[in-house]
Amino acid sequence: MSRLVVASQLNAAFNTAFAEALPDVDIVGVPVGPPAALPRGTEVLIAAPFRKAGGSLPPNPPPGWPFNVKWVQLVSVGIDFYPDWLFQGPAVTSARGSSAVALAEFALAAIFAQAKRLPEIWIDRFEQWAPTPITLVAGKTLGLVGFGSIGQALAPRARALGLNVVAVRRSREPIAEPGVEQLDDLGELFARSDYVVLAAPATPETTRLIGRKVLARAKPGLHLINVARGALIDDDALLEALDDGRVALASLDVTHPEPLPFNHRYYGHPKVRLSPHTSVHTPDTRQNLAAQFAQNLARFRQGTPLEDLVDTVRGY
């Protein structure tokens, strides 16, 4: 029986994790982007985002697509960095849940960095020896915009630290997580929250969801944290809210586009903490995605339905 060939657009660290999880599969590295050709016998493609440096997506598939590919595994949960034609052929699955803990921890780190005034409290000279006022996180309210895998990982961790948690979600299905209050109104969530974490996918319905109307209702001193997609925020509206004091701080691990232009106002803004989409770059993300892929690969070989299939109507 011939070995299964999987073409991967991921980096060497990811491919090594996949190879270790799947010793009976040939993992072959290929360039990121529309595949002009794939190794002979390739049935599965692991795809990295096609959009780079804010550029447009290729509108047309390469000649011969989908070749012999029967399944495409995305490295991300969101589908906004991939062209439409990728979803019009083979089955496509997402990396849903693989980075949820990493994102939850990153959001909590942003919360604690503000409350404990890190890193500015560290001193390196005798003359700086003086107490610096800091604040408690316990007893504050965390608002979650979206309650998928990220929200489900973040909520119990936040509750364990003494935070009150409120959440809004697209689905009307009740939130089963103990201690999480489900709200129907996004404006109410902003009005009640000391911290808001954006954890929703980028879809036509969520584009610039966080705009002037919502930010006008923000609780004074709000800290906005985005670990989802930059497109959820109206940048002009957020900058206005930061400048006039309605929002105290924005911690942004994602932006739109990525990277931002060199002269964007987020760079160097005193109330913006900007990181270059770093939150998911942990060893467990690679390991989780490899394990998730291995489980689906067993289904693929058995001819049973794959899990985490992308729903293009829903947008993730």
Side-chain angles (χ1 to χ4, degrees):
M1 182 177 178
S2 60
R3 289 166 62 88
L4 183 69
V5 178
V6 175
S8 173
Q9 295 182 335
L10 308 188
N11 61 34
F14 269 99
N15 289 342
T16 297
F18 276 72
E20 291 174 350
L22 300 163
D24 61 338
V25 172
D26 289 332
I27 307 291
V28 183
V30 296
V32 174
L38 291 173
R40 184 180 180 86
T42 297
E43 294 186 53
V44 183
L45 171 67
I46 303 173
F50 287 8
R51 194 196 323 256
K52 293 293 182 181
S56 60
L57 291 168
N60 300 312
W65 174 257
F67 311 112
N68 191 46
V69 172
K70 299 178 177 63
W71 168 28
V72 177
Q73 168 70 54
L74 306 183
V75 71
S76 59
V77 178
I79 66 174
D80 48 318
F81 287 168
Y82 304 90
D84 291 342
W85 51 261
L86 191 71
F87 305 95
Q88 296 168 359
V92 181
T93 56
S94 77
R96 189 173 298 126
S98 61
S99 57
V101 172
L103 292 166
E105 287 191 358
F106 193 92
L108 288 173
I111 289 170
F112 273 95
Q114 180 199 24
K116 307 308 177 185
R117 297 181 65 176
L118 304 174
E120 60 262 31
I121 64 166
W122 308 132
I123 64 173
D124 54 16
R125 298 194 311 276
F126 172 82
E127 294 79 8
Q128 298 171 319
W129 198 280
T132 300
I134 57 177
T135 61
L136 285 176
V137 169
K140 299 291 181 66
T141 297
L142 169 64
L144 300 177
V145 180
F147 203 77
S149 59
I150 301 171
Q152 290 164 24
L154 179 52
R157 289 169 170 79
R159 289 281 297 151
L161 294 167
L163 282 154
N164 304 306
V165 180
V166 296
V168 294
R169 69 189 311 184
R170 176 183 180 182
S171 169
R172 294 299 181 185
E173 180 181 349
I175 292 174
E177 180 66 36
V180 177
E181 181 182 355
Q182 187 167 353
L183 304 178
D184 294 326
D185 181 59
L186 182 62
E188 181 185 355
L189 180 139
F190 269 73
R192 291 176 52 181
S193 299
D194 300 287
Y195 311 100
V196 169
V197 173
L198 305 185
T203 68
E205 291 75 22
T206 62
T207 298
R208 296 188 176 183
L209 178 68
I210 312 306
R212 290 180 176 86
K213 183 177 179 181
V214 170
L215 292 171
R217 296 187 63 184
K219 182 177 180 178
L222 174 71
H223 180 182
L224 179 66
I225 302 160
N226 193 1
V227 293
R229 283 290 190 265
L232 272 64
I233 294 177
D234 180 331
D235 291 338
D236 291 337
L238 177 56
L239 284 164
E240 289 173 9
L242 290 165
D243 291 342
D244 68 22
R246 282 174 291 153
V247 175
L249 184 68
S251 295
L252 309 175
D253 187 52
V254 289
T255 62
H256 183 74
E258 292 184 0
L260 289 173
F262 76 95
N263 59 349
H264 198 282
R265 282 195 61 207
Y266 282 156
Y267 292 123
H269 194 289
K271 294 182 179 180
V272 173
R273 291 177 176 169
L274 190 64
S275 53
H277 209 145
T278 297
S279 56
V280 298
H281 290 278
T282 64
D284 80 294
T285 295
R286 294 192 293 269
Q287 294 160 4
N288 292 343
L289 182 56
Q292 179 180 335
F293 180 76
Q295 292 173 2
N296 248 351
L297 186 63
R299 296 183 181 90
F300 177 77
R301 285 170 154 168
Q302 294 164 6
T304 55
L306 300 176
E307 291 189 342
D308 301 313
L309 285 166
V310 167
D311 183 339
T312 55
V313 174
R314 186 174 58 183
Y316 53 94

